[in-house]
Amino acid sequence: MSRCIDIFGDSIMKGIVLADGRYHPMERTYFDRFAERFQVTINNCSHFGYTVRKGAVLLQRALSRGRTSGVVVLEYGGNDCDFDWKAVAKAPQGDHQPNVPPDEFCALYADMVRKLQSTGAAVVLMTLPPIDAERYLRWVAPDEADRRSILRWLGDVQIIYRFQEMYSGLVSRVAAETGALLADVRPSFLQRHDAPSLICSDGIHPNEAGHRVIYEALCAFAERCLPKVLDNPRFA
């Protein structure tokens, strides 16, 4: 009987990179390599642009059909912490909220974890790779006037980085509160002097080198933690 790991996440877990101004999946993702290395089957249910709201709906559909495995990896937050930058540029004096506010993000994420745990599944949450705030602002606002307007609202371009870092911290908090396993990939980026070279020109998506860093971090995590869940009767 083959062992299967389900993944619910966004474009990072889908292996999406930016090249020549367009997003596309890598021809061979590092999850293919992971599956070969650990002799598992990966059922990747990740989608470009998904927030935890959309992920919760997708997961509920899978649960209602009995289509989840004994080990499930969840990776959300990168789109949840984002803003409607066109709206910000038009009204920098306004009150703008992220796609999914922090309290709702934590509540939805924790609910997803507990629903999976109620089926007997082992749940793994993944922290977020860091972003490059300056590059990202140039990507979402190529027009200089829009950038100036957004900066009036931000006050400091690095708040984009700090806000995304806060959501990565919320992931860790949800893992601690629910007893989920935590695959903390963020330090593998932060400790590197060449961290900016691991991110695409949009400032948010890891490039192929960045995906290799995620792969290596997940392999190290799996070597420590996967043996603990291999005997799970639902890991099939």
Side-chain angles (χ1 to χ4, degrees), residues 2-25:
S2 64
R3 300 175 301 176
C4 182
I5 297 175
D6 292 337
I7 299 176
F8 291 84
D10 55 28
S11 54
I12 290 177
M13 301 306 264
K14 201 67 178 177
I16 301 295
V17 295
L18 177 67
D20 300 323
R22 298 178 61 183
Y23 291 112
H24 64 88

Side-chain angles (χ1 to χ4, degrees), residues 132-171:
D132 184 310
E134 293 182 358
R135 261 190 270 177
Y136 182 53
L137 180 57
R138 289 195 298 269
W139 176 257
V140 297
D143 181 79
E144 186 177 349
D146 286 343
R147 286 199 301 276
R148 287 198 301 267
S149 183
I150 290 171
L151 279 169
R152 283 200 297 275
W153 179 73
L154 288 171
D156 169 16
V157 68
Q158 291 306 323
I159 198 172
I160 299 174
Y161 174 92
R162 296 194 297 271
F163 208 73
Q164 192 256 7
E165 184 172 60
M166 180 183 73
Y167 273 68
S168 188
L170 294 177
V171 173

Side-chain angles (χ1 to χ4, degrees), residues 188-189 192 194-200 205-211 213:
S188 295
F189 286 81
R192 293 182 56 144
D194 65 342
S197 71
L198 305 174
I199 304 171
C200 291
H205 285 88
N207 56 26
E208 292 203 27
H211 278 280
V213 171

Side-chain angles (χ1 to χ4, degrees), residues 112-129:
M112 291 175 71
V113 172
R114 293 188 176 109
K115 283 180 178 177
L116 285 164
Q117 289 172 333
S118 71
T119 71
V123 184
V124 180
L125 303 187
M126 193 183 97
T127 56
L128 307 177

Side-chain angles (χ1 to χ4, degrees), residues 29-69:
T29 73
Y30 279 100
F31 285 116
D32 297 329
R33 295 174 171 84
F34 185 95
E36 293 171 0
R37 178 168 175 172
F38 292 96
Q39 297 183 327
V40 296
T41 299
I42 300 291
N43 177 31
N44 198 331
C45 303
S46 302
H47 291 271
F48 187 95
Y50 263 37
T51 63
V52 73
R53 282 181 191 150
K54 292 183 177 180
V57 173
L58 184 65
L59 177 63
Q60 185 57 49
R61 288 175 185 162
L63 288 170
S64 66
R65 297 169 184 168
R67 295 181 180 175
T68 56
S69 301

